[in-house]
């Protein structure tokens, strides 16, 4: 139950960070927190039965999230460079 | 149980710090700390595989990326922050969202629908002992193949953002002191650990993504200390290292179409050697891809 509540709280907190932040990088951090919350939801469901399938999906998800984040950071740096 | 609650509270507090602290750099550090504690939470949830991935990729190289971005990007706001009234509305709706997610998780049917028996029944045929690796390599091989290609696409996307005439990522600022020493001492140990994690992934927690991330981190460490140069983007060997894994995986997938009657199907009795054949180049490609993603887009030679 602890982890279900944490997953839900991280989802809410991450979504708030994504929507309410004015600095783009802070939005990215919020979005990653939202992702962590969603992954934890998978973990909570997987832990109930010891199911390996959601766990494998989370591993895939973490790598894809990292790849997307690097691309977002590169876009932000490019944006900052064009503004200077 | 009490320790779990304390761990969950610490994660929540760090996540809140990440969202509300004023300083972007402090927010980056908060995110890394959240990720490391989340890895512990994954251990408590009984999934050491995911804990390793979270520590190596989520908090580890992901943390390096975001902290580095925080030092470079600063805190220029792209647009005006939401007004206090909008802010309250956003907070209210997000709280509602969290309550909905929590309610859904706490009212799941019991026993939850799952694929445990299907996964366990098919495990002997794969020659693997770790059901998570079996899911990644055998039943959801398509996901893993596409994931390797996503890393490749992200590298291409990054290179597409490079200015005209750029050949390689800019060298890091010159480092004196403990970093060059660390970059000489740590990689031999790190490479052994990384390969062990890849190899152990067949029967226990571990796998190519976790091991690949550690390999990438070791190389980036040597690069940060100025011991190795970033490769040129037009380097043929680099291109082969990047595509070797997805290419072999695709080749095995097409061979499965002919030999086992289905794309990505592994021929019976040969699953284990074929998985090793895929995993070796895939580890190299993932490590190369993750390292290039950490280095960022190439810049114009000075």
């Amino acid at each position: 139950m602890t982890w279900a509540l944490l997953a839900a709280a991280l989802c809410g907190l991450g979504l708030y960070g994504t929507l309410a932040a004015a600095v783009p990088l802070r939005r990215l951090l919020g979005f990653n927190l939202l992702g962590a919350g969603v992954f934890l939801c998978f973990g909570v469901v997987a832990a109930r039965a010891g199911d390996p399938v959601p766990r494998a999906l989370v591993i895939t998800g973490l790598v894809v999230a990292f790849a997307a984040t690097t691309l977002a950071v590169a876009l932000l740096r490019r944006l900052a460079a064009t503004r200077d | 149980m009490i320790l779990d609650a304390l761990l969950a509270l610490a994660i929540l507090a760090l996540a809140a710090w990440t969202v509300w602290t004023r300083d972007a750099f402090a927010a980056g550090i908060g995110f890394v700390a959240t990720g490391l504690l989340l890895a512990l939470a994954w251990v408590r949830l009984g999934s050491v595989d995911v804990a390793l991935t979270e520590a190596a990729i989520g908090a580890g190289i992901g943390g390096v990326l975001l902290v580095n971005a925080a030092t470079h990007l600063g805190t220029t706001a792209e647009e005006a922050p939401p007004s206090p009234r909008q802010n309250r509305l956003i907070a209210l709706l997000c709280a509602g969202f969290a309550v909905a997610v929590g309610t859904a998780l706490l009212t799941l049917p019991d026993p939850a629908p799952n694929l445990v028996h299907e996964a366990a029944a098919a495990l002997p045929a794969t020659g693997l002992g770790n059901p998570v690796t079996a899911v990644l390599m055998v039943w959801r091989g398509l996901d893993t193949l596409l994931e390797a290609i996503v890393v490749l696409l992200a590298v291409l996307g990054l290179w597409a953002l490079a200015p005209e005439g750029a050949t390689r990522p800019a060298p890091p600022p010159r480092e004196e002191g403990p970093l060059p020493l660390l970059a000489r001492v740590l990689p031999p140990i790190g490479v052994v650990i990384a390969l062990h994690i890849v190899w152990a992934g067949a029967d226990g927690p571990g796998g190519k993504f976790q091991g690949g991330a550690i390999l990438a981190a070791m190389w980036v460490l040597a690069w940060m200390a100025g011991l190795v140069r970033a490769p040129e983007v037009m380097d043929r060997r680099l291109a082969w290292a990047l595509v070797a894994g997805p290419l072999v995986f695709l080749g095995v997938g097409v061979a499965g179409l002919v030999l086992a009657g289905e794309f990505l199907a592994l021929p019976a009795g040969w699953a284990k050697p074929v998985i090793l054949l895929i995993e070796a180049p895939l580890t190299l490609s993932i490590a190369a891809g993750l390292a290039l993603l950490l280095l960022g887009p190439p810049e114009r030679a000075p």
Side-chain angles (χ1 to χ4, degrees):
Chain A
M1 192 181 87
T2 316
W3 304 121
L5 292 179
L6 177 66
L10 276 181
C11 286
L13 205 59
L15 187 61
Y16 175 79
T18 310
L19 294 175
V23 179
L25 183 68
R26 306 299 293 271
R27 288 193 180 189
L28 195 55
L29 285 173
F31 196 69
N32 270 290
L33 283 180
L34 172 59
V38 172
F39 292 147
L40 213 51
C41 290
F42 277 66
V44 169
V45 174
R48 288 158 57 90
D51 193 347
V53 179
R55 290 173 176 163
L57 289 180
V58 170
I59 292 180
T60 309
L62 276 165
V63 177
V64 173
F66 170 74
T69 306
T70 54
L71 205 53
V73 165
L75 283 168
L76 289 182
R77 290 181 74 161
R78 180 79 180 182
L79 195 67
T82 49
R83 207 176 26 227
D84 291 339
Chain B
M1 190 66 206
I2 294 173
L3 280 179
D4 279 0
L6 285 178
L7 181 59
L9 277 179
I11 294 172
L12 203 56
L14 281 166
W17 163 270
T18 307
V19 171
W20 277 295
T21 181
R22 287 184 179 281
D23 182 24
F25 185 73
I29 299 288
F31 181 77
V32 176
T34 313
L36 287 175
L37 288 189
L38 267 173
L40 288 181
W42 279 104
V43 175
R44 293 294 302 144
L45 278 166
S47 186
V48 182
D49 290 275
V50 180
L52 277 172
T53 317
E54 174 66 46
I57 297 179
I61 57 177
V64 172
L65 174 83
L66 287 167
V67 169
N68 185 33
T71 54
H72 281 93
L73 282 170
T75 49
T76 322
E78 242 357 271
E79 52 200 81
S83 70
R85 237 183 94 210
Q86 283 174 325
N87 207 6
R88 272 198 297 278
L89 187 64
I90 293 173
L92 198 68
L93 290 175
C94 289
F97 173 62
V99 169
V101 172
T103 313
L105 281 178
L106 290 177
T107 55
L108 282 172
D110 205 27
N114 60 68
L115 297 166
V116 179
H117 295 296
E118 287 82 344
L123 198 57
T126 63
L128 296 168
N130 180 351
V132 174
T133 306
V135 171
L136 283 173
M137 290 309 295
V138 186
W139 303 301
R140 300 300 309 169
L142 190 62
D143 288 355
T144 311
L145 171 64
L146 291 176
E147 172 185 18
I149 293 175
V150 162
V151 172
L152 200 60
L153 282 177
V155 172
L156 288 180
L158 218 59
W159 286 356
L161 290 171
E164 194 80 33
T167 52
R168 63 174 84 209
R174 194 94 202 107
E175 284 287 342
E176 302 290 335
L179 191 63
L181 177 67
L182 184 70
R184 283 190 172 85
V185 175
L186 200 58
I189 305 166
V191 168
V192 172
I193 291 176
L195 294 181
H196 171 75
I197 284 180
V198 176
W199 184 256
D203 293 312
K208 58 213 156 302
F209 295 107
Q210 299 90 329
I214 298 176
L215 280 178
M218 290 303 122
W219 190 82
V220 170
L221 179 65
W223 172 77
M224 279 166 70
L227 299 181
V228 292
R229 283 185 83 186
E232 281 197 38
V233 291
M234 296 305 287
D235 193 333
R236 286 262 153 200
R237 285 166 306 169
L238 179 68
W240 278 112
L242 279 173
V243 300
L247 216 55
V248 170
F249 208 159
L250 266 177
V252 169
V254 173
L257 203 56
V258 179
L259 296 175
E262 209 179 339
F263 183 60
L264 286 174
L266 303 178
W270 285 85
K272 176 84 187 189
V274 172
I275 287 171
L276 285 177
L277 178 75
I278 300 171
E279 285 201 318
L282 205 53
T283 306
L284 174 74
S285 292
I286 290 167
L290 294 180
L292 286 173
L293 288 179
L294 260 182
L295 256 52
E299 286 176 23
R300 214 173 280 127

